Amino acid sequence: MKSLFSLLLCLFLISTNAQTIYSKAYGNARNPAVIFIHGGPSGNATLFEGTTAQKLADKGFYVIVYDRRGEGRSKDESATMTFKESFEDLNQLYQTYHIKKAHILAHSFGGIIGTLFTNQFPEKVRTLTLAGALFTQQQTYDHILKQAKEHFKNDSAQLQEISEIENLDKSSAAYRKRCYEIASKLDFFNMPNPTPESKSLRKEYETGEFYKNNIRNHNSPTKFYQNEPLNNLDNTAILKEIKRKSIPLFAVYGKNDGIFSEKQLNSLKNIVGKKNFKLIDNCSHYLFVDQQDEFLKFIELKLK
């Protein structure tokens, strides 16, 4: 009996050591699985986990959150930050939680990972939902800089900065970083009129345990751009290919998410279909906090 116990313990430790990433499941394992893919590089799932994961599980889903290897709570100095590694992390989740197929819910940069994973492993994906997710990266950067030029047209120092950004290597970490810094100056990531509900969610998160674990690995973008040859992607063709594979595509975005142009969102709507696309009013990039009820209604309606 003792040797059997030791064997079981050993197998458990091997399984644990194989899973080098932080993850947690919410809800009943018998319910349809939803895997949330966070943004980045240098992101984590704490905001979604601390505000929304359990509430989505309460709608009848088995919600799995995780931080990618080398990001957030998944500390790993040897992480390469490549797409291949991201796929390994996702496949490890399928093994750990005994999942054959899952709904992929991808936010921000997670949309790039979710789209590529779905296309490479279609047999593992029930649906792909892009939630404020990147899909045509250069168009996003062009839009940010165009809006910045208009906003700062009378500010010579800011115009000089924008010119410097435009002259950077567009497939570099520095270019990405400085584009998003300009977007932050324009308040592109903030909802226009915070509601009592969104304020409450933010306060609850910022005073809770999840915020204390809001760990950012600021070396992640640099490592990603050093090690991953595929960057600054346009996933339009891949999304169309996923649709041809008969995997349902859904898209939900904040109407006030300033990093996306109207042209980009209309293009995405044409790909996923009008019925599978939703714009939420008074909502920016973190739509599961800005307008949580509308976000959850959309996810429940489409994934059920």
Side-chain angles (χ1 to χ4, degrees):
M1 178 66 79
K2 183 177 180 181
S3 61
L4 177 59
F5 175 80
S6 299
L7 177 60
L8 290 172
L9 180 60
C10 180
L11 290 172
F12 175 75
L13 290 174
I14 290 171
S15 176
T16 301
N17 290 334
Q19 184 186 348
T20 59
I21 57 173
Y22 166 88
S23 67
K24 187 172 180 179
Y26 292 81
N28 191 320
R30 292 190 293 272
N31 289 336
V34 176
I35 298 176
F36 176 77
I37 306 178
H38 67 77
S42 82
N44 60 58
T46 60
L47 182 59
F48 180 85
E49 185 176 3
T51 61
T52 311
Q54 184 60 58
K55 293 175 183 176
L56 181 56
D58 292 342
K59 301 288 186 182
F61 297 102
Y62 186 50
V63 180
I64 297 164
V65 300
Y66 75 108
D67 291 352
R68 281 188 300 277
R69 200 182 321 176
E71 298 184 58
R73 295 158 287 184
S74 299
K75 296 179 182 180
D76 185 346
E77 294 298 325
S78 64
T80 61
M81 310 294 169
T82 60
F83 289 130
K84 179 178 180 292
E85 190 175 77
S86 295
F87 298 164
E88 290 172 357
D89 290 349
L90 279 164
N91 281 319
Q92 179 65 45
L93 291 179
Y94 279 80
Q95 293 179 30
T96 300
Y97 295 99
H98 310 291
I99 299 166
K100 291 184 178 180
K101 298 187 79 168
H103 299 285
I104 298 295
L105 174 57
H107 177 247
S108 199
F109 178 74
I112 300 291
I113 294 170
T115 298
L116 296 177
F117 179 84
T118 300
N119 192 51
Q120 187 165 331
F121 302 97
E123 72 282 0
K124 294 188 173 185
V125 180
R126 292 187 184 278
T127 66
L128 170 64
T129 300
L130 301 178
L134 296 173
F135 57 100
T136 50
Q137 288 179 281
Q138 189 57 54
Q139 287 185 33
T140 283
Y141 303 142
D142 290 343
H143 173 67
I144 290 170
L145 296 178
K146 181 180 178 182
Q147 294 298 106
K149 283 180 182 178
E150 177 61 27
H151 183 83
F152 294 117
K153 60 185 177 184
N154 297 319
D155 188 328
S156 59
Q158 289 294 337
L159 289 175
Q160 176 61 31
E161 181 179 350
I162 294 166
S163 178
E164 290 175 4
I165 295 170
E166 290 179 322
N167 287 319
L168 291 172
D169 177 1
K170 291 180 171 57
S171 294
S172 68
Y175 178 76
R176 167 197 173 274
K177 179 176 183 287
R178 293 184 68 179
C179 282
Y180 286 132
E181 286 174 347
I182 287 287
S184 293
K185 289 181 182 180
L186 297 170
D187 282 334
F188 276 1
F189 298 106
N190 298 323
M191 66 186 298
N193 301 298
T195 62
E197 292 79 10
S198 68
K199 289 179 182 178
S200 177
L201 279 172
R202 283 280 181 185
K203 184 177 180 180
E204 182 181 349
Y205 169 70
E206 291 172 1
T207 57
E209 289 300 314
F210 288 105
Y211 185 73
K212 293 178 183 177
N213 288 306
N214 181 21
I215 301 164
R216 302 278 171 170
N217 180 356
H218 297 293
N219 293 323
S220 296
T222 301
K223 291 184 74 172
F224 171 80
Y225 281 92
Q226 285 175 344
N227 297 326
E228 178 52 68
L230 297 175
N231 56 61
N232 205 0
L233 297 179
D234 181 343
N235 277 342
T236 301
I238 294 177
L239 288 168
K240 291 178 180 178
E241 178 62 24
I242 290 170
K243 191 174 182 180
R244 282 193 289 271
K245 293 175 180 177
S246 299
I247 297 174
L249 290 173
F250 305 106
V252 54
Y253 285 70
K255 194 172 185 178
N256 309 100
D257 190 342
I259 69 171
F260 300 106
S261 69
E262 184 177 352
K263 180 181 179 181
Q264 281 178 281
L265 294 178
N266 282 334
S267 173
L268 183 59
K269 180 166 65 174
N270 287 335
I271 294 172
V272 305
K274 187 176 180 180
K275 291 182 179 179
N276 293 345
F277 181 87
K278 184 175 180 63
L279 275 183
I280 302 178
D281 288 329
N282 188 27
C283 183
S284 188
H285 195 60
Y286 298 96
L287 58 172
F288 47 86
V289 175
D290 291 356
Q291 296 289 350
Q292 188 180 81
D293 286 346
E294 287 297 309
F295 172 80
L296 290 174
K297 284 177 185 176
F298 179 84
I299 299 301
E300 182 181 19
L301 176 66
K302 297 304 178 183
L303 302 196
K304 283 289 183 71

